[in-house]
Amino acid sequence: MVGLSPPRTDVVAGPHGPLEILTRGSGPPGTLFVHGLTGSISSTRPYSGRVRGQRTFMHLAGHGASVSAEALSYEALAQEVWAAAEHVRASAALGISMGAGAILAGLAADPGRFRAVVLVLPAALDRPRPGPAGGRFARLARLVHAADVEAVARHLLSHESPEVRESRQGRQWSREQAERLVAGNPQAALTQIPQQVPLRDAGRLGEVSASVLVLAQRDDPTHPVEVARAVAGSIPQARLEVLDPGGLMWAHRGRVRAMVGEFLDQHGA
């Protein structure tokens, strides 16, 4: 059996160099999807299953074919998100973990840019991530630098639920993500971003005009519910949804897709 070829992506100009994007669908609302640290276009696409209109997925610096950088910050990542959003004229955005942080940093400077925003598993707001998270990404950076795909895959899988670790789909996912990480150049993101915060003053989000949905998961030490609650509490028109453990796209895929689709359908156009 012949495997499917990867989707054909485009490269657009970004503030620090080329950015890789993939666009599917057409018409309003236009939604931009932004992955998390170690994520990818492929790992972000499942969130779009119930989203209508034009859907664009991007790779941040050091991921996929997007240009790497020696120094990274949430502000720099926000500039990349804003550049991609302008290019495809997106009126809504969804960001996961680091992607959520990049959107928060951008909204602090440009609070009226989007009509609707979904923030999935925000990892930090105005305080650094918990200590264990930094060590996890530092070890991953060493494995990626050594180009050890198998070790990277094991490391990624070790932080998933037992059900995911024991499944064929989980092993396949971790292997594919490991191959993408080794093929890219995410060293700056892995070593620098976990030590940073999107904002120094969460009060700057008080001017955000977008409707915002914040998704969190219980018992996730890398993405504490307390952070998601603080994010939702800092934005005037924000709603927090907290799901049970198991992985948002593993144990709750149908429910998450429905929530995201309904929310963007109501607020994104």
Side-chain angles (χ1 to χ4, degrees):
M1 180 176 178
V2 178
L4 295 176
S5 299
R8 183 173 179 177
T9 58
D10 296 312
V11 175
V12 301
H16 315 111
L19 294 172
E20 184 180 25
I21 66 170
L22 172 71
T23 298
R24 289 289 183 266
S26 61
T31 305
L32 179 67
F33 294 79
V34 190
H35 63 80
L37 185 55
T38 77
S40 65
I41 286 174
S42 295
S43 67
T44 312
R45 290 182 71 184
Y47 287 88
S48 71
R50 297 280 294 273
V51 178
R52 67 182 180 89
Q54 178 177 282
R55 305 169 303 282
T56 300
F57 311 84
M58 70 176 297
H59 273 139
L60 292 169
H63 295 72
S66 293
V67 69
S68 187
E70 293 185 2
L72 275 182
S73 66
Y74 277 108
E75 181 180 2
L77 295 176
Q79 292 171 2
E80 296 186 345
V81 172
W82 257 238
E86 288 300 314
H87 183 84
V88 299
R89 299 180 180 178
S91 62
L94 179 148
I96 305 168
S97 191
M98 180 180 72
I103 292 173
L104 286 168
L107 287 174
D110 186 7
R113 174 60 185 81
F114 296 109
R115 295 179 182 175
V117 171
V118 181
L119 302 172
V120 181
L121 301 175
L125 179 57
D126 53 1
R127 299 180 182 179
R129 287 175 183 246
R136 167 192 169 186
F137 289 114
R139 172 166 171 72
L140 180 57
R142 292 192 294 270
L143 296 175
V144 171
H145 182 71
D148 190 337
V149 172
E150 294 298 334
V152 170
R154 289 195 298 270
H155 183 87
L156 294 173
L157 198 58
S158 70
H159 293 279
E160 298 297 328
S161 67
E163 294 79 10
V164 175
R165 292 198 299 267
E166 296 167 5
S167 70
R168 179 182 62 81
Q169 293 90 341
R171 292 190 295 271
Q172 180 179 352
W173 164 83
S174 65
R175 173 74 190 203
E176 291 174 352
Q177 289 297 102
E179 290 174 347
R180 292 188 184 98
L181 285 171
V182 170
N185 187 13
Q187 294 298 316
L190 288 171
T191 57
Q192 297 172 27
I193 292 299
Q195 316 302 327
Q196 300 182 31
V197 295
L199 300 171
R200 295 190 180 279
D201 178 12
R204 296 176 63 191
L205 296 175
E207 299 299 319
V208 173
S209 59
S211 296
V212 178
L213 173 64
V214 184
L215 298 181
Q217 177 181 261
R218 295 183 181 88
D219 301 334
D220 184 343
T222 306
H223 309 94
V225 173
E226 291 75 15
V227 172
R229 188 172 290 116
V231 169
S234 300
I235 299 173
Q237 300 182 72
R239 182 179 105 220
L240 173 65
E241 294 283 349
V242 182
L243 285 79
D244 290 331
L248 296 189
M249 278 295 120
W250 296 105
H252 310 292
R253 179 173 296 217
R255 182 182 174 190
V256 170
R257 280 178 162 177
M259 283 194 295
V260 169
E262 290 169 5
F263 181 82
L264 293 178
D265 190 42
Q266 181 179 359
H267 300 288

